[in-house]
Amino acid sequence: MMTNKCKSAILIIATLAVTSVNHLWADNPLIMGQFTADPTARVFEGKIYVYPSHDILASPGKGRPGWFCMEDYHVFSSENLLDWTDHGVIVHQKDVPWAEPNSYSMWAPDCVFKDGRYYFYFPTTARGRGWGIGVAISDKPYGPFKVEPQPIQGARGIDPCVFIDKDGKAYLYYSMNRIFVARLKDNMVELDSNPQVIGNLPTRGLIEGPFVFERNGIYYLSYPHVQNNTERLEYAIASSPMGPFEQKGVIMDESPSGCWTNHHSIVEYKGQWYLFYHDKDLSPNFDKNRSIRADYLYFDEDGTIQKVTPTLRGVGIADATRRIQIDRYSAISPEGASVDFLDPNDTHKGWKVMLSAKDAWVRYNRVDFGKGQVRSVVVNACSSTGGTIAIRIDGPGGQVIAQVKIPKGTDWRQVNSALSTVPSGLHDLVVVFTDVGGVEIDWVQFN
Ligand code: FUB
């Protein structure tokens, strides 16, 4: 049994901190440098844009301790779903003239594109009037956004979602104990019909966070709902945007982490469907500081949504020449392998894998080795016992491609080793501890 004697990886941590200012590289969770929740993913200008909420920790005079605390929104974009660009703050509560000052309630937003303009919808507490839904408008998906002087009249609630149908008509969905829908006028900032409650949905247990999309003539209304203890993601379908809807099933079960909320969006990008959602990866003991994730989503022939199993690996193809965070594994051996934070006092620094039994392994799928240019591997590791790891590729032509001897010590080291075989193309990467004792691994990279 290995005891944890490794020092924290100061050098590596410094690198992570620098790269997380604007450009981020991550599996699940997608964003490491800050807490993010309620992700609405949209495809604009050929990229994925994600509009999440931005959880922060309440502090004296700033928000309610032990509760959600949000004062602004960032927007993130990506082409490959692994590299994320943080475009910075697009709307802050101080930019909202009708908002209760210091309410710190900038909850789940949405953004849509119509007639050359981007409309960003967000809920917050309106002075003396409870929840209101605001709109901010821009010519670009990343802003600058200009906030409308008033919230949408007649809509009181949270978690706005706007759906634009093929005929150009727009609908606003939001929640307030129930889920409501109303038509929007062409100006996108006024209601064109009275909000109506969507029927045939669960009436017991919290229901919120509607997200609506259309595929092959089926209108999907998906929503988080507390059936038991915490929110799971469910959906209903209809043949028109306003229903009537029929409940169909569960998209994602309650999280084993116990995170009370889950909030999602569903998007097709380059022919593949994705579920964006959140959990509390970076804040295991406080579920109001959440982190957004993405996983693949599939439909059956008849349009039924297959249940999504949350993964750490997430989505996208990893470049072998980048640091591969194998702690975001796609599979792990049932014994002798575990994951822990690099620094429990600063979870944003990420995780490490600990292999503490002979033949314990971890698998990280979808690694692109390119056209056979890599010749060596570097492993950032620490081993208080010393020991050897085998690096294997699976898939066509799969084999062990390197044996890396990690020296005994308490310092993290970047250990280089030549490859015995030059891989090319797409493979799963498997790292196996072949000794007695144990090793901690932060990342693996091929050169
Ligand atoms: O983020 C605050 C609230 O928690 C959202 O508005 C809900 O959907 C839930 O995720």
Side-chain angles (χ1 to χ4, degrees):
M1 185 73 179
M2 185 181 63
T3 51
N4 183 354
K5 291 182 186 146
C6 293
K7 295 176 191 161
S8 56
I10 304 294
L11 197 96
I12 305 320
I13 288 157
T15 312
L16 268 178
V18 169
T19 53
S20 68
V21 174
N22 274 314
H23 295 278
L24 316 130
W25 159 263
D27 308 279
N28 276 337
L30 301 177
I31 307 298
M32 290 296 293
Q34 60 186 265
F35 298 117
T36 49
D38 308 327
T40 299
R42 298 288 186 191
V43 179
F44 296 137
E45 301 182 338
K47 290 185 194 170
I48 288 265
Y49 280 82
V50 178
Y51 299 84
S53 309
H54 179 197
D55 287 341
I56 55 176
L57 207 52
S59 53
K62 198 172 179 179
R64 175 177 148 196
W67 189 239
F68 301 105
C69 182
M70 292 111 113
E71 63 182 352
D72 61 18
Y73 299 100
H74 287 235
V75 58
F76 301 86
S77 69
S78 178
E79 281 192 67
N80 62 7
L81 301 162
L82 281 161
D83 285 294
W84 290 92
T85 300
D86 179 356
H87 297 272
V89 173
I90 51 168
V91 174
H92 191 282
Q93 64 180 11
K94 65 177 163 43
D95 306 330
V96 185
W98 49 269
E100 186 78 57
N102 301 323
S103 67
Y104 295 93
S105 55
M106 307 291 273
W107 285 16
D110 191 6
C111 188
V112 294
F113 176 71
K114 188 164 194 295
D115 300 333
R117 303 219 283 178
Y118 294 86
Y119 295 86
F120 179 74
Y121 296 84
F122 59 95
T124 196
T125 319
R127 239 176 274 131
R129 281 186 295 176
W131 286 101
I133 294 173
V135 191
I137 304 171
S138 175
D139 293 337
K140 289 284 174 195
Y142 46 83
F145 281 91
K146 189 166 183 327
V147 178
E148 287 289 287
Q150 292 295 328
I152 297 178
Q153 300 302 303
R156 287 191 173 192
I158 62 169
D159 298 352
C161 165
V162 171
F163 169 70
I164 303 177
D165 206 356
K166 286 172 290 204
D167 60 6
K169 292 208 170 71
Y171 301 82
L172 171 70
Y173 302 79
Y174 60 93
S175 52
M176 193 38 41
N177 303 321
R178 295 282 168 269
I179 294 178
F180 294 79
V181 59
R183 279 195 301 274
L184 278 172
K185 288 189 181 167
D186 276 348
N187 65 15
M188 300 297 276
V189 298
E190 287 179 282
L191 298 188
D192 200 22
S193 68
N194 287 328
Q196 64 186 56
V197 172
I198 297 182
N200 301 333
L201 299 181
T203 51
R204 295 180 60 177
L206 180 67
I207 183 168
E208 54 182 3
F211 185 83
V212 173
F213 65 99
E214 182 269 346
R215 179 181 178 270
N216 295 341
I218 301 176
Y219 294 81
Y220 293 82
L221 164 62
S222 49
Y223 46 87
H225 169 230
V226 179
Q227 171 73 19
N228 297 308
N229 299 312
T230 60
E231 287 181 342
R232 67 183 193 184
L233 303 178
E234 303 176 11
Y235 76 106
I237 60 167
S239 56
S240 86
M242 297 186 71
F245 283 92
E246 175 198 353
Q247 289 180 49
K248 285 303 277 188
V250 176
I251 302 172
M252 178 173 276
D253 287 325
E254 288 182 17
S255 170
S257 76
C259 188
W260 176 42
T261 62
N262 194 356
H263 185 113
H264 73 298
S265 56
I266 293 171
V267 68
E268 185 183 21
Y269 180 58
K270 296 183 177 171
Q272 171 67 53
W273 287 84
Y274 297 92
L275 175 73
F276 285 75
Y277 61 103
H278 71 224
D279 208 313
K280 54 171 185 159
D281 301 75
L282 297 174
S283 174
N285 300 320
F286 181 55
D287 66 359
K288 312 295 182 294
N289 279 175
R290 299 155 295 178
S291 293
I292 62 170
R293 294 163 149 241
D295 273 300
Y296 296 110
L297 179 140
Y298 299 95
F299 295 85
D300 285 339
E301 282 282 300
D302 65 357
T304 303
I305 298 178
Q306 295 179 9
K307 208 184 255 190
V308 178
T309 303
T311 73
L312 297 177
R313 172 63 182 86
V315 298
I317 292 174
D319 179 345
T321 64
R322 305 278 296 268
R323 288 179 180 178
I324 299 168
Q325 305 291 340
I326 56 169
D327 47 74
R328 307 295 84 197
Y329 58 80
S330 47
I332 195 164
S333 55
E335 283 171 21
S338 58
V339 166
D340 202 354
F341 287 113
L342 281 166
D343 178 355
N345 295 318
D346 186 356
T347 59
H348 297 280
K349 291 171 182 166
W351 295 265
K352 59 187 176 186
V353 160
M354 298 184 293
L355 302 177
S356 56
K358 186 163 168 21
D359 297 329
W361 54 269
V362 62
R363 173 188 296 266
Y364 182 101
N365 63 14
R366 301 188 310 274
V367 179
D368 186 2
F369 287 89
K371 296 199 171 103
Q373 317 91 316
V374 294
R375 295 285 181 277
S376 63
V377 61
V378 55
V379 180
N380 191 45
C382 172
S383 172
S384 56
T385 59
T388 301
I389 55 175
I391 305 226
R392 201 177 81 213
I393 53 168
D394 274 4
Q399 57 189 294
V400 171
I401 57 170
Q403 306 269 0
V404 186
K405 190 163 172 30
I406 312 297
K408 179 175 174 172
T410 55
D411 289 324
W412 285 83
R413 291 161 184 249
Q414 295 183 13
V415 184
N416 277 278
S417 183
L419 300 184
S420 51
T421 303
V422 174
S424 61
L426 204 60
H427 295 277
D428 287 3
L429 178 69
V430 184
V431 176
V432 190
F433 186 57
T434 57
D435 260 324
V436 179
V439 64
E440 300 186 7
I441 304 168
D442 183 12
W443 48 260
V444 173
Q445 182 175 15
F446 295 85
N447 295 306

